[in-house]
Amino acid sequence: MSEEFPFDPVEVSRRLLAWYGNEGRDLPWRQTRDPYRIWLSEIMLQQTTVAAVIPYYERFLHQFPTLPALASASLDEVITLWAGLGYYSRARNLHRTAQQLVAEQGGAFPESIVALAALPGIGRSTAGAILAIAFDKPAPILDGNVRRVLVRLFAWMDDPRSAQAEKQLWAWAEALTPEDRPHDYTQAIMDLGAMVCTPRAPDCDDCPVQKICQAFQKGLTADLPVVRKKPKIPVRQQVGLIVCSPDGFLLRQRPPEGLLGGLWEFPTLDLPAGLTAEQAGARLLSDLSLRGSLKKSGEIRHAYSHFKLELSLFKVDVGSAEKVAESSEYRFCSSTELEHLPLHGAHRKAYNQLSNDH
Ligand code: SF4
């Protein structure tokens, strides 16, 4: 055995497949080989836990049971169903991919890594998962769980996110993926990472690959993967206005592309240097060509992936606001409409807080 490959790769799949037969998870997307359903589950599971995904997956399939059904929906319908799951570019990419597959491939998924990875929102690992799980083809995957398992299995001692690690881990992932039963193997290694070789306190005593795991052999399970220093997350301060008129609440829809694209929100402004929150709120109100007195309504703190938001909110009652209502990005919405619109996290919290105060 070479130093780089300290055990027989066949041993890994043999042990994992035997374990998976008894211990594998019974998940809703495991009842099917339909590539549409497998793809949907894989996209939803990116950066999201199984427990959070299950109700969304079921609601989504109830409304869009097939790829053509999703392709013919409006983006607003898709984003509304996605609201709360986060990372909204995933919803936009799902919609674009569905439309592209229906228009160009007659609604069929391609059966190669290169063609799958060329679709919006599908990276190499997701392409591998679709090929292996839906089509039983031996394609490697390297999602977060599998990356951790391989780092420990081979005792990789450097930053697991470096370019060098990326190359090495993919090579190992490929070498371990068997020609026989890639569908089961892929789900088995995913399950091992999720259930046994967990980020903290891996359950090595019950691990089917303990005998060949290099981290276990060397007493390194608590030290791997090596933790990278996380960059400090910036804090963004904003002021927001909850403008109430006889026509409802004033909201605007964010542009379709970019951060939180397509989601709805109350009017907001980044807090300008040298202004208090109240002064900034008054400026925002004037920018909207509205008049009224600002009443402090609360503070919301919300963490997004790349920043933390501190939002100071003011409530303003206005008589009529036709000028703003005519502007395309703003709209007055009744509270019933607002309940169903996809608001982004901080603003949903703000609205809930307001409703609870009344
Ligand atoms: Fe992970 Fe422990 Fe199994 Fe190694 S022995 S793969 S560290 S659970």
Side-chain angles (χ1 to χ4, degrees), residues 149 152-153 192 196-198 202-204 207-210 213 215-216 221:
V149 170
R152 289 178 174 154
L153 209 48
L192 187 80
V196 180
C197 196
T198 49
D203 185 6
C204 303
C207 177
V209 291
Q210 187 214 70
C213 172
F216 184 81
T221 54

Side-chain angles (χ1 to χ4, degrees), residues 13 29 85 135 141 153 175 189 197-198 234 242 261 271 284 289 351:
S13 56
W29 42 90
L85 203 55
F135 300 110
I141 65 161
L153 209 48
I189 194 162
C197 196
T198 49
I242 300 179
L271 189 64
L284 177 57
S289 309
Y351 179 67

